[in-house]
Amino acid sequence: VRPVIKKDAVPKIYELISNHVEEDTSNWNKRYRENLRKMKTGAIEEVAKVVSSLSVRETEKPLSTSEKKMLNNATSILISELSLATEEPDEAIHNQIKNFL
């Protein structure tokens, strides 16, 4: 178990969300495995990248069921972490994430 990120690290997370460049992987299974690897690291920066890439891809075309589940899980983790770091309610963090996407 790692400690919650510091409040001064939060802007970096939002920057990762807004500036993430999507790798062009047309094979959903390959994308899923890469995103799963990022999630397993436990690093909030990697989770932010997963949220960003899947959210962008979702606007382009429908995600697979597995990818939808992963996006929901990653978003939940990200919201919880940022909420604890900033002491803001989950809903406010969720809205901020949506603004950065």
Side-chain angles (χ1 to χ4, degrees):
V1 177
R2 63 170 178 72
V4 174
I5 62 170
K6 303 287 184 203
K7 189 173 185 173
D8 59 349
V10 172
K12 179 184 174 194
I13 302 301
Y14 286 129
E15 184 178 325
L16 281 172
I17 293 170
S18 63
N19 294 332
H20 183 69
V21 177
E22 174 64 31
E23 298 108 21
D24 187 23
T25 307
S26 56
N27 184 339
W28 77 266
N29 194 18
K30 214 179 249 191
R31 264 194 331 266
Y32 180 81
R33 280 186 270 132
E34 180 61 24
N35 285 332
L36 187 59
R37 182 196 61 76
K38 290 177 183 177
M39 293 286 291
K40 284 183 177 182
T41 67
I44 197 65
E45 294 85 359
E46 295 298 314
V47 174
K49 289 177 186 176
V50 170
V51 169
S52 178
S53 67
L54 289 178
S55 295
V56 168
R57 184 164 287 281
E58 186 177 42
T59 63
E60 296 168 358
K61 59 184 182 177
L63 297 176
S64 69
T65 304
S66 299
E67 287 180 312
K68 284 181 190 176
K69 187 184 273 188
M70 181 178 285
L71 175 58
N72 290 337
N73 187 28
T75 302
S76 176
I77 291 168
L78 187 61
I79 289 171
S80 296
E81 180 90 13
L82 296 177
S83 180
L84 288 170
T86 61
E87 298 178 357
E88 292 182 28
D90 289 357
E91 188 175 316
I93 298 297
H94 189 263
N95 290 333
Q96 288 177 359
I97 290 171
K98 285 196 302 190
N99 289 337
F100 279 97
L101 294 171

